[in-house]
Every structure is written in structure tokens, then in C-alpha cells.
Amino acid sequence: MSDQPLLSLVVAVYNGEKFLSAFFDSIKSQNIENLEMIVVNDGSTDSSAELLARYASEFANFHIIDQANQGVSAARNTGLAQATGLYLAFPDIDDVIYPGMYNRLLEIATQNSLDVATCNGTYVYDDGRPSKKIFPSDKLASTGVLDGPTWLQQALASRKFLHVTWLNIYRHAFIKEQGFTFEHGLRHQDIPWTTEVLLTARRVQYIDETYYDYLIHSASVSHTPGTDDSRIRNSQHYMKILEMLDAINGRYPQQVKRVPACQWQIAKEGLGILHSINNIGDPQKRKAITQELFDRGIWRMIWKNARGLRQHWRLGRRYFRLKRYLAD
């Protein structure tokens, strides 16, 4: 019998002292045979390093990699380069993983020779709002084995799909064959990662079974009112995402013909950029980011990829507003 780990968990840690005990307890409760833990301490300045050293003795195959702070994508890439498991997963340390999640995903992945196995989860809000399923059952039901483009079109067409890595496990050899890595320094880099993975995956299966609580912190950067500078940074991150999505669509033209929603999502994310620009109060800062939008060809890309009367109508209204910003 091979001594290759069945699953490698690649875990990025940055100042995670508040979450690590609960996180590692949740991993122990998974009761996974032949588990490899690759934990990347991404320049933490709190007591994370001490906590990691303490938990290392509680797992049979536990590796700590220390590096200067470079962000979650760089930490994942560091761990990915060291992982040896048959399958890979990338859990976040501040979320809740239910017992049985990884065994269930491994069960369908090994039985059906999957490149990607994925399940459902729950949005949990710390401000008292009621929790809700990430993928509503009436929009996305369990599937049999599909090829990646079929699942991606079905998922994006639901308008309820969330680009995330943490609800999935991936066949390591598939990720390695494709040479996939995470984009350094990019917020929301799960969007291009998931898109390219699913465009190239041959065997994917989704089960509408809830195994993960995604905690939405009301005080987090993503869920608090922004400043002009934060809106500019967010717009620039999404411009980069659109450039990456457009390049991905260009690399896989045959698959994208089967997934018209790949073009729709560029326009959809583009509308988000326009919304951020509209909320910038300083006229000169708003003018500068609007000019960047046109200079980088982002507006042309958004318009080219728009699908349907509704998207074109929404974009058309915003075009004249953008031109007014440039005239300010």
C-alpha cells in the first residue's frame, strides 16, 4: 500500500491566534486517515508560531513553513509546492469545518475519479443576521459527474455561484499537470483560479450537502464602508481580475464557447468596478481611476463581454456617467 497521503491540507496562517485552536480541533474531528498538514506561517507577529508548534505534535504528518509576510496567495503557493497528497484542499482558518466534510468529498472523489469535488456551506453573520446556504438548493442541486465546463456554466447561470477554493478538494496530479498557482498580491484571486480550474477539469461533482460555515465579519475590510482610497484599490484589484479572466477565456476558446457565462461574468464583475468608482467622493481621484479604466482597455473589455439586453442597458447608462467624470 502506498504511503502517499490521501489528502494534503494547505493552510495559510497570518496572525491567526484567535482562530487556530478551534480550527485544529475541527481538523482533528475529521478523523482522516493518512492526512498531511502543510501550514504556512506567513510572517505572523502574534502568538501563531507558538500555537503551531504546540499543535504539530498532535498530528502524525504536520509541516510548518515560516516565511516573510507575502499574502494568502503566496502562502498557498508555498504550501502547494511542498504538498504530496493525492488530493488537495485550502481551508481558511477563521471558518468552521463540519465533521465528515473531507471524508465525504474524498469518498465521491475516489469513487468517481474526480478532478474536483465540491459541497455546500453556510453564510454565518456575526451581526445577528440569520445564516443562509451559500448555494440555494432551488438554484443549484446535487449533480452527477460532469465535465468542468458543464458545471461552470450551470453554476454561473444560477447567479448564486461563489468562486471559492475552500468548499472543494482537488486532485493533486490535475493541478500539477495544469501548472496552476495563485496570483500573488491579488484580492479575490479565487475568481480566476476557480474559472480556469473548472474550464480544464474533466470530472467534477457537486453535492448539495452543507459542511462549512463561512463567517462574515462585520468589521472586515470587505464588509465595512470604504474610503476613496480603498475603493480605488478595490477597483484596481478587479481590473486585474478582469484582465486575467479575459486572458483565460483566450486560452480556452473551445471551452468558453460552451460556457457563455464566462463572458457574462466579466461584465458582471465590471459593473462592480463601475459601482465602486461611482462611490468615490473626490472628483480628482474619481477622474484618475476612470481614466485608468479606459487606458487599460477595461471598459472595452467589459462592453465586449456583456451578454443580453439587461447588461448592455446597465452599462450604457454608466458609460455617459464615466465620461462626465473625465470632464470634471
Side-chain angles (χ1 to χ4, degrees):
M1 186 172 115
S2 171
D3 58 358
Q4 180 184 19
L6 185 58
L7 177 68
S8 293
L9 294 186
V10 176
V11 184
V13 175
Y14 176 69
N15 290 350
E17 62 183 8
K18 292 188 297 185
F19 309 109
L20 288 174
S21 293
F23 173 76
F24 284 121
D25 287 346
S26 76
I27 300 303
K28 285 190 289 185
S29 72
Q30 297 288 314
N31 292 319
I32 305 169
E33 292 187 16
N34 210 0
L35 171 69
E36 177 180 61
M37 294 286 294
I38 306 286
V39 183
V40 181
N41 180 21
D42 189 42
S44 296
T45 57
D46 62 0
S47 64
S48 291
E50 290 82 0
L51 285 167
L52 294 178
R54 188 185 313 163
Y55 274 97
S57 63
E58 299 188 23
F59 292 85
N61 193 353
F62 193 101
H63 306 277
I64 302 171
I65 303 171
D66 292 303
Q67 65 180 32
N69 179 248
Q70 299 174 59
V72 64
S73 292
R76 284 176 174 174
N77 287 340
T78 297
L80 177 58
Q82 297 298 317
T84 64
L86 186 64
Y87 286 88
L88 303 165
F90 302 92
D92 284 350
I93 61 170
D94 58 341
D95 296 331
V96 176
I97 304 167
Y98 297 6
M101 171 176 169
Y102 290 122
N103 277 317
R104 180 70 174 111
L105 290 176
L106 287 166
E107 177 187 26
I108 63 170
T110 54
Q111 285 180 354
N112 297 317
S113 302
L114 301 180
D115 293 324
V116 183
T118 185
C119 64
N120 208 343
T122 306
Y123 289 121
V124 177
Y125 303 89
D126 69 357
D127 60 5
R129 283 180 287 167
S131 59
K132 63 180 181 180
K133 291 179 82 170
I134 293 174
F135 304 140
S137 297
D138 61 336
K139 299 293 184 182
L140 282 173
S142 296
T143 70
V145 178
L146 305 172
D147 62 59
T150 299
W151 165 243
L152 182 59
Q153 174 62 26
Q154 184 175 323
L156 289 175
S158 76
R159 305 297 191 256
K160 296 295 183 180
F161 181 63
L162 185 68
H163 288 282
V164 295
T165 60
W166 32 260
L167 286 176
N168 310 324
I169 65 170
Y170 306 91
R171 187 169 62 85
H172 192 177
F174 160 66
I175 298 298
K176 200 169 183 178
E177 286 160 9
Q178 299 295 331
F180 292 142
T181 57
F182 295 92
E183 183 74 13
H184 284 209
L186 183 67
R187 289 183 60 196
H188 309 298
Q189 36 70 44
D190 286 5
I191 298 173
W193 163 274
T194 305
T195 299
E196 191 161 19
V197 163
L198 291 178
L199 280 174
T200 53
R202 294 177 293 276
R203 297 178 65 81
V204 177
Q205 186 172 7
Y206 166 68
I207 51 173
D208 182 20
E209 298 173 21
T210 302
Y211 288 109
Y212 198 103
D213 285 348
Y214 174 57
L215 305 183
I216 297 180
H217 308 283
S218 55
S220 73
V221 172
S222 300
H223 300 96
T224 52
T227 64
D228 281 355
D229 288 344
S230 68
R231 292 184 184 107
I232 289 169
R233 286 193 299 272
N234 189 61
S235 297
Q236 290 169 329
H237 279 284
Y238 270 97
M239 287 185 201
K240 174 64 174 176
I241 286 170
L242 295 199
E243 290 167 340
M244 292 177 69
L245 289 175
D246 194 54
I248 288 167
N249 287 356
R251 284 198 291 275
Y252 309 104
Q254 296 306 313
Q255 290 94 319
V256 170
K257 282 182 183 178
R258 298 174 47 212
V259 190
C262 277
Q263 295 171 294
W264 167 86
Q265 77 170 340
I266 289 178
K268 176 248 189 185
E269 302 295 355
L271 282 163
I273 296 174
L274 304 187
H275 180 72
S276 289
I277 291 174
N278 188 54
N279 287 329
I280 295 172
D282 185 314
Q284 292 308 306
K285 290 182 177 180
R286 189 172 59 202
K287 180 178 181 178
I289 192 65
T290 302
Q291 189 65 56
E292 182 177 348
L293 180 88
F294 283 101
D295 288 347
R296 290 173 66 169
I298 301 297
W299 168 262
R300 184 169 60 251
M301 183 193 305
I302 295 169
W303 182 261
K304 178 186 73 174
N305 284 281
R307 289 295 175 268
L309 182 61
R310 177 174 171 77
Q311 272 194 338
H312 281 102
W313 177 76
R314 293 177 69 191
L315 287 169
R317 289 177 59 210
R318 285 157 177 79
Y319 175 78
F320 296 103
R321 188 181 299 163
L322 293 171
K323 288 296 186 180
R324 287 200 304 271
Y325 295 157
L326 291 177
D328 284 348

